[in-house]
Amino acid sequence: MEAKEIGMDQVMILPPKPGTCPICAVKHDRKMPHNRDSLYYQMRFYQQNGRFPTWADAMAHCSDIMKAYWMGELAKRGIKISDETPDGH
Ligand SMILES: [Zn+2]
């Protein structure tokens, strides 16, 4: 990686690598939530929805059991999904 500053308008989003999730460009089990912190996911989601994704969005495709598990894991890190606004952050 070259360490020089570039403007946001110059940021190019590269397509996900083969073997990674087409939504968030991170390698993860399909049953698991997308990586909300993935820059690719955030940029792509923003372009489609006009806002940044929340953890609720990242796990929208998951089963209720998986959601419950992840909500518990996130809660351990002090993240409450119900506190997230649609605008995130
Ligand atoms: Zn994903």
Side-chain angles (χ1 to χ4, degrees), residues 15-21 25:
K17 290 180 187 141
T20 61
C21 173

Side-chain angles (χ1 to χ4, degrees), residues 55 71 74-75 77-85:
W55 276 107
M71 283 180 199
L74 291 169
R77 300 181 199 182
I79 300 169
K80 285 183 191 165
I81 288 172
S82 55
D83 287 349
E84 282 191 318
T85 64

Side-chain angles (χ1 to χ4, degrees), residues 18-89:
T20 61
C21 173
I23 306 297
C24 66
V26 173
K27 198 170 183 177
H28 69 90
D29 194 305
R30 280 167 170 269
K31 294 191 286 287
M32 306 278 268
H34 298 302
N35 187 342
R36 195 208 63 170
D37 297 328
S38 157
L39 184 61
Y40 178 85
Y41 179 50
Q42 292 183 1
M43 297 294 272
R44 187 176 183 275
F45 191 95
Y46 190 88
Q47 286 172 351
Q48 292 177 342
N49 300 280
R51 65 178 175 82
F52 287 108
T54 65
W55 276 107
D57 295 314
M59 62 175 74
H61 64 291
C62 298
S63 67
D64 288 344
I65 293 168
M66 187 61 81
K67 283 177 187 170
Y69 169 78
W70 274 90
M71 283 180 199
E73 288 298 305
L74 291 169
K76 285 180 197 168
R77 300 181 199 182
I79 300 169
K80 285 183 191 165
I81 288 172
S82 55
D83 287 349
E84 282 191 318
T85 64
D87 291 317
H89 314 292

